[in-house]
Amino acid sequence: MKISFKMPAIAALFLSAMAFHLPAMAQSVGPQQTSVHEGQTAPRGWTYEWGKTDFSKASVDFSEIFSGGPPKDGIPSVDRPKFEAINKADWLNDRSPVISLEINGEARAYPLAILTRHEIVNDRIGDVPIAVTFCPLCNAAIVFDRRHEGRELEFGTTGKLRNSDLVMYDRQTESWWQQFTGKAIVGTLLGAELKRLPSRLESFALFRERHPNGRVLERPFSRAGLYGTNPYEAMTACGGPFSMMGPCRKISRR
């Protein structure tokens, strides 16, 4: 079965998310984010699950962070990615969207069909450790250099959302990071910012045309249908990004 996300639907989700969130996001992750929100008490569930996270250091109000449903690493990152030649990726079709990038002449494609289920790929191209990230709820596809001040970090999912955007964490300090900005918003590395790397969100056909010798991320699991459906499709019926106020709002602080 060949996998194809509907590009118009993705574009519509992106525009809807940005229309609701860009003003709020710009305000909430702007210059004031360098200040520390002192005197906050983290929910008991957080401190139980996140024993290493320093919740005394935060640049956002904890009331802005909600559970998306899954627990810590409930959405598993891909930490040992394997790749295949373009002609082997016959489960994709021309319209299948991929995140693509090229570093030192080596080009790789990461299908959204996989990223929708895993959200983060910890990879390495040459000597550059990278994190390929995708938030299915706001359609933010961003690639980061995983190094901070000479230290290599590995990222996972917290299961939390802020402004309908993925909140990541690094497994070295368990600081929490806003995927949309690449900034640490809670924990030891508060205020740190990851370097963004140039990437594209494009069709598989365009990637193949530009990089006929490129490599494609293999499906981590071979179970039929796992990477052929979008588990977030029903959320588009809410009329706005997930976790906003409204009749479809189903969120929890814990």
Side-chain angles (χ1 to χ4, degrees):
M1 177 180 63
K2 294 192 175 184
I3 307 302
S4 175
F5 279 45
K6 293 182 179 180
M7 294 298 285
I10 289 179
L13 178 58
F14 174 79
L15 292 174
S16 173
M18 293 303 98
F20 273 83
H21 283 307
L22 277 178
M25 184 74 77
Q27 182 179 18
S28 58
V29 300
Q32 74 272 26
Q33 193 164 14
T34 58
S35 65
V36 177
H37 284 237
E38 297 179 346
Q40 296 189 90
T41 300
R44 183 180 301 176
W46 292 10
T47 56
Y48 177 80
E49 186 178 21
W50 299 88
K52 289 176 58 178
T53 303
D54 186 353
F55 288 106
S56 69
K57 298 179 179 180
S59 59
V60 301
D61 194 302
F62 289 158
S63 65
E64 299 175 358
I65 302 174
F66 298 94
S67 172
K72 174 184 179 182
D73 288 321
I75 298 174
S77 59
V78 179
D79 301 326
R80 295 175 178 83
K82 296 181 180 179
F83 294 84
E84 58 190 353
I86 285 179
N87 62 352
K88 296 291 185 180
D90 55 3
W91 59 283
L92 299 172
N93 65 34
D94 287 351
R95 290 172 55 84
S96 298
V98 301
I99 301 172
S100 67
L101 73 156
E102 179 181 4
I103 297 178
N104 296 327
E106 186 171 351
R108 293 183 183 177
Y110 304 79
L112 289 199
I114 296 176
L115 267 297
T116 296
R117 293 287 185 174
H118 295 277
E119 299 191 359
I120 299 173
V121 178
N122 290 293
D123 196 8
R124 180 184 299 274
I125 299 183
D127 60 355
V128 182
I130 64 173
V132 180
T133 70
F134 178 65
C135 178
L137 298 180
C138 60
N139 207 44
I142 308 172
V143 180
F144 299 104
D145 187 320
R146 291 192 282 119
R147 293 171 292 192
H148 172 66
E149 295 185 347
R151 184 181 191 182
E152 185 174 318
L153 304 175
E154 182 180 273
F155 289 90
T157 60
T158 62
K160 305 289 190 292
L161 299 167
R162 178 170 176 265
N163 291 333
S164 292
D165 179 53
L166 162 67
V167 177
M168 315 182 295
Y169 81 98
D170 70 80
R171 296 190 172 118
Q172 284 62 43
T173 72
E174 294 200 349
S175 298
W176 294 8
W177 301 71
Q178 184 85 55
Q179 182 253 2
F180 198 86
T181 62
K183 291 183 179 180
I185 58 175
V186 177
T188 304
L189 297 181
L190 177 68
E193 185 173 358
L194 299 171
K195 177 184 177 182
R196 296 189 183 211
L197 298 177
S199 62
R200 296 171 182 253
L201 182 56
E202 62 182 349
S203 70
F204 180 52
L206 287 175
F207 173 77
R208 184 179 59 218
E209 180 181 339
R210 292 189 301 106
H211 301 288
N213 296 317
R215 308 286 288 178
V216 182
L217 180 67
E218 289 185 5
R219 290 169 288 184
F221 303 104
S222 59
R223 192 171 69 208
L226 179 63
Y227 300 110
T229 60
N230 180 2
Y232 304 99
E233 186 174 358
M235 294 179 183
T236 61
C238 290
F242 181 68
S243 86
M244 295 294 288
M245 297 297 293
C248 294
R249 184 173 182 261
K250 296 179 181 180
I251 53 180
S252 169
R253 284 291 312 282
R254 299 298 188 262

